[in-house]
Amino acid sequence: MGQVVVISTGGTIASRWQGSGFAADARGGDVLATAAVPEGVSVRVVDLMSVNSARLTTRDQLALLRTVHEVLADPAVDGIVVTHGTDTLEESAFLLDLHHDDPRPVVFTGAQLPLEAADGDGPRNLHDALLAAGSAALRGHGVLVAFDGRIHAARGTIKVQTLAADAFADPSGNPVADVKDGRLVVHGRPERPAPLPLPAAGEDLPRIDMVMHHCDGDPLLFNAAVEAGAQGVVLVATGAGNATPEVVAAVEAAVARGVLVALTTRVPSGPVAEIYTHGGAVDLAAAGAVLTGTLRAGQARIAVLSAALTAAGTDERTSALRGLIAAPAAA
Ligand code: ASP
């Protein structure tokens, strides 16, 4: 137990009624005031922003990444909590995890009910996040997500409920720890690839788009992304990663132009796999698309973004992306 820094970014946990709907507007101190602080933990708040997370940009996420690294430059800090909107929490948490080169825990949390709700879930989630961030037992576990009594690895964890309190899960894996009677019960250590360096500051940020396949889908939107200058496109395919021969041709042409194409699926759990031809993952992989294992669309996009931010040239980016997907076995 020790010193934890809370970086406040907004979300429902910081939201109040605006006259027509809820939106984030509270500062971190107001959010912290709702929660019980675990015994032995001291807390300092950094107010980075207060926005609904659907509005976040890559620039905002990189500002968060840099703030975490700046805070961790202080050896007196034992861990970090990031309060964040749940809508895109899985994206920011995974971005930070890919670039996290420090044993100290960074724990994301948020809420499904707003700041002033009578029986809100924010206070408990924030308490659990503070407990996890201050815990030596979670050192070396990377970036985590504390929600509804569970601690999840950032990698693979997605929002699985629009309204219910148990909003996060890894549909293809298990939680890292539980919080039972105010105590952490740790089950295992997440698998993580070697951390990437921090992206250089101030550079032009790459456009990375996402296109979903469906019955009657044609390559029009995929090609529009390429024409718009996308340096990467995530194809959210059907089943184990399948589309049509026309989409395969579009992927092949995009890859030939140096666009990084990642292949994921609309299905909630399980890996993409090379099983089907006639437009399936067999052909998409042959056309140069990188299969993204069990990463869902938002995190596949973050993997493409991080590859594009840290490697130059098509081959280097492709191998960087492959390295981010093939996480080694847990230590
Ligand atoms: N709209 C909210 C957001 O900022 C949802 C939430 O935080 O639960 O993502």
Side-chain angles (χ1 to χ4, degrees), residues 107-158:
V107 186
F108 277 67
T109 196
Q112 291 282 60
L113 293 172
L115 181 66
E116 286 154 357
D119 249 335
D121 54 339
R124 180 200 180 185
N125 288 340
L126 182 50
H127 167 274
D128 292 353
L130 291 167
L131 187 71
S135 165
L138 289 173
R139 282 176 76 92
H141 284 62
V143 177
L144 301 164
V145 179
F147 224 93
D148 198 40
R150 297 218 156 81
I151 313 291
H152 308 274
R155 172 182 288 266
T157 293
I158 58 171

Side-chain angles (χ1 to χ4, degrees), residues 10-13 15 24 51-54 84-88 110-113 159:
T12 293
I13 197 167
S15 286
V51 293
N52 292 2
S53 70
H84 195 291
T86 58
D87 286 3
T88 63
Q112 291 282 60
L113 293 172
K159 189 170 183 183

Side-chain angles (χ1 to χ4, degrees), residues 18 26 91 93 95 98 132 140 149 152 169 173 189 193 220-221 224 282 289-290 306 330:
Q18 306 292 320
E91 299 179 35
L95 176 70
L98 290 177
H152 308 274
R189 190 184 289 264
L220 187 131
L221 293 177
V282 169
V290 176
S306 281

